[in-house]
Amino acid sequence: AICREGEYVKSDGAEVGDVVVLTKPLGTQVAVNVHEWRVRKTAKWMELSKRKILSVEDAEDMMHAAVCSMARLNRHAGSLMLKHHAHAGTDVTGFGILGHAQNLMDNQSRPVGMEIHTLPCIANTAEVEKSGVLDFRLVKGYSAETSGGLMICMKEEDAVAYCKEIEEIDGEPAWIIGMVVEDSERKAKLLDNLEILEVSSER
């Protein structure tokens, strides 16, 4: 397909003061691995169960949420970017959210960086990581995602309207997770007071 100028969103237009929106929760890698451990009754699952980190129901809910997230396309999330005046964006997949955030900042025409203050995670995935059974690097921002969401930079008022409309269409929330800041070094980082937001999915 051929697009004219103004029919698509470039990836290099983030501005100081933009907020950062994420359209799907993180944690698919954790959820899928825990599911495999539970089905195979591995030592890792036994440890999670023995220490009461997770119940069977918790693990099933986690996998259900991951499957629903992976099955939902970014079609609507992407198509609404132009309507709501997005300045830049990328998907969140194999490099984790911080890896993709850094790639996005490296590509900007202005000297900007990104500060991430919130990580929306599939319920209990962060608890699995904190247990020490296996370090997926989820809360460090580097856990790989399968069919992850979009990370979009836009003005706050546009972001609020975008999040409202995407939830109305898809029936799932999107979140404001960070800010674009002036930074000559173009760094993306997680803030020290990072909030882990537990995202539950109804079955």
Side-chain angles (χ1 to χ4, degrees):
I2 298 174
C3 296
R4 295 185 178 88
E5 191 79 21
E7 293 180 338
Y8 63 95
V9 177
K10 294 182 179 180
S11 62
D12 64 353
E15 300 177 0
V16 173
D18 280 353
V19 298
V20 182
V21 170
L22 182 67
T23 64
K24 290 187 185 182
L26 307 172
T28 55
Q29 183 186 42
V30 179
V32 170
N33 276 270
V34 167
H35 175 74
E36 183 178 357
W37 298 345
R38 183 183 66 79
V39 170
R40 295 173 54 198
K41 296 182 171 58
T42 66
K44 289 184 176 66
W45 170 253
M46 296 304 180
E47 183 176 348
L48 288 172
S49 183
K50 182 179 178 180
R51 290 169 53 192
K52 299 187 178 184
I53 306 296
L54 280 182
S55 66
V56 170
E57 184 179 3
D58 290 335
E60 289 177 346
D61 287 346
M62 186 188 296
M63 185 60 180
H64 174 76
V67 169
C68 289
S69 178
M70 291 186 289
R72 179 163 58 98
L73 301 178
N74 286 318
R75 176 184 174 188
H76 296 140
S79 65
L80 289 173
M81 289 173 64
L82 195 62
K83 175 181 178 181
H84 292 285
H85 316 113
H87 294 148
T90 187
D91 63 347
V92 178
T93 51
F95 298 120
I97 190 166
L98 193 55
H100 285 285
Q102 185 59 61
N103 289 342
L104 187 61
M105 292 302 98
D106 288 340
N107 188 53
Q108 296 312 300
S109 60
R110 298 177 180 85
V112 294
M114 184 186 296
E115 295 180 347
I116 297 173
H117 54 64
T118 303
L119 292 183
C121 296
I122 294 169
N124 292 308
T125 54
E127 290 304 312
V128 171
E129 171 147 328
K130 291 174 187 176
S131 73
V133 172
L134 186 66
D135 183 8
F136 291 96
R137 306 184 76 198
L138 175 64
V139 298
K140 298 180 182 74
Y142 290 110
S143 183
E145 300 296 329
T146 299
S147 185
L150 302 183
M151 179 167 48
I152 307 165
C153 304
M154 57 179 73
K155 291 181 179 178
E156 185 170 10
E157 57 268 31
D158 292 324
V160 170
Y162 176 93
C163 290
K164 182 176 184 292
E165 185 164 5
I166 194 67
E167 185 166 10
E168 289 171 351
I169 293 173
D170 277 356
E172 298 289 345
W175 306 269
I176 294 174
I177 64 161
M179 291 277 302
V180 176
V181 297
E182 186 174 357
D183 184 357
S184 60
E185 295 185 350
R186 302 173 181 269
K187 294 296 183 186
K189 65 180 181 180
L190 306 182
L191 294 180
D192 291 339
N193 59 345
L194 183 71
E195 178 186 1
I196 305 299
L197 182 64
E198 293 268 307
V199 180
S200 299
S201 179
E202 293 185 7
R203 296 182 65 181

